[in-house]
Amino acid sequence: EAQVTQNPRYLITVTGKKLTVTCSQNMNHEYMSWYRQDPGLGLRQIYYSMNVEVTDKGDVPEGYKVSRKEKRNFPLILESPSPNQTSLYFCASSPDRGLGQPQHFGDGTRLSIL
Amino acid sequence: GQNIDQPTEMTATEGAIVQINCTYQTSGFNGLFWYQQHAGEAPTFLSYNVLDGLEEKGRFSSFLSRSKGYSYLLLKELQMKDSASYLCAVRDGAAGNKLTFGGGTRVLVKP
């Protein structure tokens, strides 16, 4: 089954404790992206990757890091999480960034930073 | 940059029709997507418009007017399961085809 898998689905942690949210897709998609979703603000892009070893900042990259060592994986790293990073996070992928290609979303990761 | 506006919330009755509007301002329009998102779940793709006109998919239709920077999503024969948020997203060809989402419209379907 074609899917985007995120882990963990839920995490409660404390300020400053490094964490990684994994994202994996099995569709051989080139383009992957991370979003955060907050009430009233919609989906905002954190980072994206157009292919292996190619990553770039989205609209709200501060406090986050990503890597794309393999095509299928695109982990999101919070080196020193803070309470303002409490949010619902989605990973998404698409065949490329071109015309008419909808993004496939993972089920989301709800992070709470205390 | 892009500016995308859609109403925050709409209420409609089961069996009725609801139209969700989306207006946008972008320097290099290159396509518009509509997604459905149930509370706490992932967005799922509904429709895509890049040329002016109406795209129909069963009970859902989406319309685009590029000259007006305007789209709408039409939901017909509303069912209770259509209660969800509907997200408008615009692709900007002048920004490397970046996709920007509007804040979403929460639709509540009442019996």
Side-chain angles (χ1 to χ4, degrees):
Chain A
E1 181 189 349
Q3 59 186 2
V4 178
T5 303
Q6 296 178 226
N7 279 296
R9 292 291 316 279
Y10 305 91
L11 179 65
I12 301 173
T13 187
V14 295
T15 299
K17 186 177 180 182
K18 181 180 178 180
L19 68 92
T20 299
V21 185
T22 63
C23 174
S24 180
Q25 49 93 5
N26 62 0
M27 296 168 280
N28 202 37
H29 284 171
E30 293 179 355
Y31 182 81
M32 297 185 75
S33 181
W34 274 103
Y35 295 89
R36 62 178 288 174
Q37 188 172 37
D38 303 288
L41 296 176
L43 281 163
R44 293 180 293 166
Q45 190 178 55
I46 303 170
Y47 269 94
Y48 64 93
S49 169
M50 297 185 72
N51 214 324
V52 176
E53 301 292 2
V54 180
T55 63
D56 212 341
K57 295 177 181 179
D59 295 317
V60 288
E62 295 76 22
Y64 304 94
K65 288 172 62 175
V66 292
S67 69
R68 188 91 183 272
K69 294 186 171 63
E70 308 159 285
K71 201 170 189 178
R72 63 183 292 127
N73 295 323
F74 189 46
L76 178 70
I77 303 154
L78 285 72
E79 293 271 4
S80 184
S82 63
N84 65 12
Q85 292 177 298
T86 292
S87 187
L88 179 58
Y89 291 85
F90 288 102
C91 179
S93 74
S94 62
D96 57 37
R97 212 185 189 188
L99 294 176
Q101 302 285 355
Q103 294 191 31
H104 299 257
F105 285 83
D107 287 336
T109 295
R110 190 169 289 281
L111 284 185
S112 293
I113 317 294
L114 304 178
Chain B
Q2 296 191 72
N3 191 26
I4 302 171
D5 289 312
Q6 35 179 148
T8 306
E9 196 168 290
M10 301 180 76
T11 302
T13 305
E14 194 175 13
I17 298 173
V18 71
Q19 177 175 313
I20 306 167
N21 296 325
C22 172
T23 58
Y24 63 87
Q25 294 171 312
T26 183
S27 49
F29 176 82
N30 202 16
L32 185 146
F33 294 84
W34 283 97
Y35 285 83
Q36 180 191 58
Q37 185 180 26
H38 286 98
E41 297 183 10
T44 54
F45 169 70
L46 286 178
S47 69
Y48 171 72
N49 296 72
V50 67
L51 299 176
D52 291 350
L54 190 68
E55 294 282 340
E56 297 189 78
K57 275 188 180 182
R59 295 189 298 113
F60 293 0
S61 304
S62 57
F63 171 82
L64 175 69
S65 169
R66 289 172 295 171
S67 62
K68 295 182 180 177
Y70 168 69
S71 173
Y72 68 71
L73 179 69
L74 196 68
L75 285 61
K76 292 178 266 191
E77 300 168 22
L78 278 172
Q79 301 175 10
M80 299 300 290
K81 67 178 182 179
D82 297 329
S83 291
S85 288
Y86 292 85
L87 314 179
C88 173
V90 175
R91 181 159 276 158
D92 186 351
N97 281 327
K98 177 184 174 183
L99 192 67
T100 299
F101 285 82
T105 300
R106 189 185 309 164
V107 172
L108 177 62
V109 180
K110 293 186 172 179

